[in-house]
Amino acid sequence: MVEVTVTPQSSLADRPVQIRVRGLSPSQLVTLRAWLKDEQGECFQSRAFFRADGAGEVDPGLHAALGGSYTGVWPMGLLWFLQPDTLFRRLVKRDVAGSPFRVRLEVFDGLCLGVEPREQLLGSCEAERWYVGPGVQRVPIREGRVRGALFLPP
C-alpha cells in the first residue's frame, strides 16, 4: 500500500514541510503531483518525476526530481513551482485569515504528463497552508488615501 504524507499536515505558508512517499517498489518510476484551486476556482499544479530508492521511498528533500516542473533536489519544489492551468493567472490568497489553501498531493505510477491523470493513482493526501497564524488579528487601515491591513500578533 502506497502512503503519501506531508509533515506537518497543517502549517503556515512560509514554513517548510516534508513530503514523503512510502510503499513503492524499489527503483519504481513515479510522478508526484501537487495541485490546488484558488478562491476563484482556478487550478494550479506542479509535477515531478522520481525514481524510488532501494527501500521504495521518495523524499523530494533527498531525492532529485528527474523532470517535470523542476529538476534536482528541491524539498519544497512541488509547492514552489505551482503553475496555473490558464495562462496569465497568479496564485493570490485574498482571504488570508479565514481559510487556508488546501494542497492535494498525489502519486502516480510511471510518468503522467496529462492535466487530469486519474487512471494510475497510487496514493494521495491533503495539506493545509495558512497565511495567518492562530490568534493573529487583522485590522483594516484607512487613512486618507492609504489603504492596507495591520496584522497584530496574539
Side-chain angles (χ1 to χ4, degrees), residues 31 33 45 47 49 67-69 108-117 119-120:
T31 300
R33 176 181 178 233
Q45 64 177 315
R47 70 186 72 236
F49 313 126
S69 300
F108 297 91
D109 187 30
L111 301 178
C112 292
L113 301 173
V115 175
E116 289 293 329
E119 62 281 359
Q120 303 162 326

Side-chain angles (χ1 to χ4, degrees), residues 32 63 66 79 82 102 109 142 149:
L32 272 175
H63 306 117
L66 306 173
L79 301 177
L82 288 166
R102 296 187 196 295
D109 187 30
R142 298 184 131 232

Side-chain angles (χ1 to χ4, degrees), residues 48-71:
F49 313 126
F50 292 93
R51 185 166 302 282
D53 63 13
E57 296 184 0
V58 169
D59 181 343
L62 299 175
H63 306 117
L66 306 173
S69 300
Y70 65 95
T71 58

Side-chain angles (χ1 to χ4, degrees), residues 2-14:
V2 176
E3 177 187 24
V4 183
T5 59
V6 177
T7 309
Q9 185 268 334
S10 183
S11 64
L12 290 174
D14 64 344

Side-chain angles (χ1 to χ4, degrees), residues 23-149:
L24 300 167
S25 300
S27 300
Q28 182 176 356
L29 189 60
V30 295
T31 300
L32 272 175
R33 176 181 178 233
W35 65 274
L36 64 84
K37 289 200 177 197
D38 70 4
E39 293 155 333
Q40 280 72 46
E42 186 67 37
C43 187
F44 290 78
Q45 64 177 315
S46 65
R47 70 186 72 236
F49 313 126
F50 292 93
R51 185 166 302 282
D53 63 13
E57 296 184 0
V58 169
D59 181 343
L62 299 175
H63 306 117
L66 306 173
S69 300
Y70 65 95
T71 58
V73 178
W74 291 81
M76 299 287 294
L78 287 167
L79 301 177
W80 289 343
F81 291 98
L82 288 166
Q83 294 294 313
D85 285 352
T86 306
L87 292 177
F88 307 114
R89 299 290 180 146
R90 288 184 31 205
L91 185 59
V92 176
K93 183 72 171 139
R94 301 219 184 273
D95 179 17
V96 295
S99 64
F101 272 140
R102 296 187 196 295
V103 182
R104 187 98 179 136
L105 291 143
E106 301 169 330
V107 62
F108 297 91
D109 187 30
L111 301 178
C112 292
L113 301 173
V115 175
E116 289 293 329
R118 292 284 178 232
E119 62 281 359
Q120 303 162 326
L121 182 65
L122 299 175
S124 65
C125 72
E126 190 173 273
E128 292 181 346
R129 302 293 281 170
W130 289 89
Y131 282 76
V132 174
V136 172
Q137 180 183 5
R138 182 181 186 274
V139 179
I141 303 295
R142 298 184 131 232
E143 186 68 37
R145 295 182 349 190
V146 175
R147 302 289 182 265

